[in-house]
């Protein structure tokens, strides 16, 4: 498997994990679960815009979203990432961007992808912990669980 194909595969897990978590949150809408999940979705959008060279002005990092807002943002960012990942990927190329404070940075594209996936996993874990604290039973979202299950679609 080529490195770009491996990134695409990890993003398929990323979409599945987000969709799966959203299903649990929809059944048990705990505000403490929505907040980190909405943040992860919003950060995905910001990073996509950065890599695509689109403006990030006005994109919230910590939006206050309900389940429907999360569903819409998940679909939008999934569509954006899938279109982006369908093209050629120069993983060693530079990603030139500004952070939310306007400070300039340059990172390897592969490092941005790893950050997006790890950042989202961290916040999905926070959301799962909040669901458990609210009495819900979270779903296993780990990559290996997804891979062993035949890589189910979202």
């Amino acid at each position: 498997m080529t490195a770009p194909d491996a990134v695409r595969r990890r993003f398929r897990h990323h979409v599945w994990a987000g969709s799966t978590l959203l299903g649990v949150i929809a059944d048990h809408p705990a505000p403490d679960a929505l907040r980190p999940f909405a943040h992860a979705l919003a950060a995905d959008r910001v990073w996509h815009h950065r890599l695509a060279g689109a403006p990030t002005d006005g994109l919230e990092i910590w939006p206050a979203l309900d389940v429907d807002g999360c569903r819409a943002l998940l679909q939008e960012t999934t569509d954006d990432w899938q279109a982006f990942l369908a093209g050629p990927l120069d993983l060693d190329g530079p990603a030139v961007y500004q952070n939310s404070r306007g400070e300039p940075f340059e990172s390897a594209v592969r490092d941005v992808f790893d950050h997006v996936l790890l950042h989202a996993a961290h916040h999905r874990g926070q959301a799962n912990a909040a669901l458990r604290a609210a009495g819900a039973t979270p779903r296993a979202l780990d990559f290996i669980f997804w891979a062993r299950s035949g890589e189910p679609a979202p």
Side-chain angles (χ1 to χ4, degrees), residues 53-141:
T56 58
D57 299 343
L59 295 181
E60 291 185 65
I61 296 292
W62 286 95
L65 299 176
D66 61 9
V67 171
D68 289 336
C70 285
R71 186 174 289 113
L73 187 53
L74 175 62
Q75 186 61 58
E76 181 181 333
T77 56
T78 296
D79 291 347
D80 288 344
W81 277 116
Q82 286 175 337
F84 187 87
L85 293 168
L89 296 178
D90 179 7
L91 297 177
D92 294 318
V96 179
Y97 58 93
Q98 293 181 355
N99 68 9
S100 58
R101 292 183 296 277
E103 300 167 331
F105 287 94
E106 183 175 315
S107 301
V109 170
R110 76 174 58 249
D111 291 341
V112 171
F113 284 134
D114 286 344
H115 171 74
V116 168
L117 298 172
L118 292 168
H119 178 261
H122 168 74
H123 289 296
R124 285 193 304 263
Q126 289 179 320
N128 260 348
L131 285 165
R132 186 177 311 281
T137 302
R139 294 269 311 271
L141 303 175

Side-chain angles (χ1 to χ4, degrees), residues 10-93:
R10 288 194 304 269
F11 264 88
R12 286 195 305 274
H13 164 260
H14 177 69
V15 171
W16 171 83
S19 297
T20 300
L21 176 58
L22 182 58
V24 177
I25 291 173
D27 291 340
H28 307 280
D32 289 343
L34 277 166
R35 181 167 164 71
F37 184 59
H39 167 68
L41 295 173
D44 276 10
R45 173 196 260 175
V46 168
W47 282 107
H48 171 267
H49 276 62
R50 288 173 177 164
L51 284 183
T56 58
D57 299 343
L59 295 181
E60 291 185 65
I61 296 292
W62 286 95
L65 299 176
D66 61 9
V67 171
D68 289 336
C70 285
R71 186 174 289 113
L73 187 53
L74 175 62
Q75 186 61 58
E76 181 181 333
T77 56
T78 296
D79 291 347
D80 288 344
W81 277 116
Q82 286 175 337
F84 187 87
L85 293 168
L89 296 178
D90 179 7
L91 297 177
D92 294 318

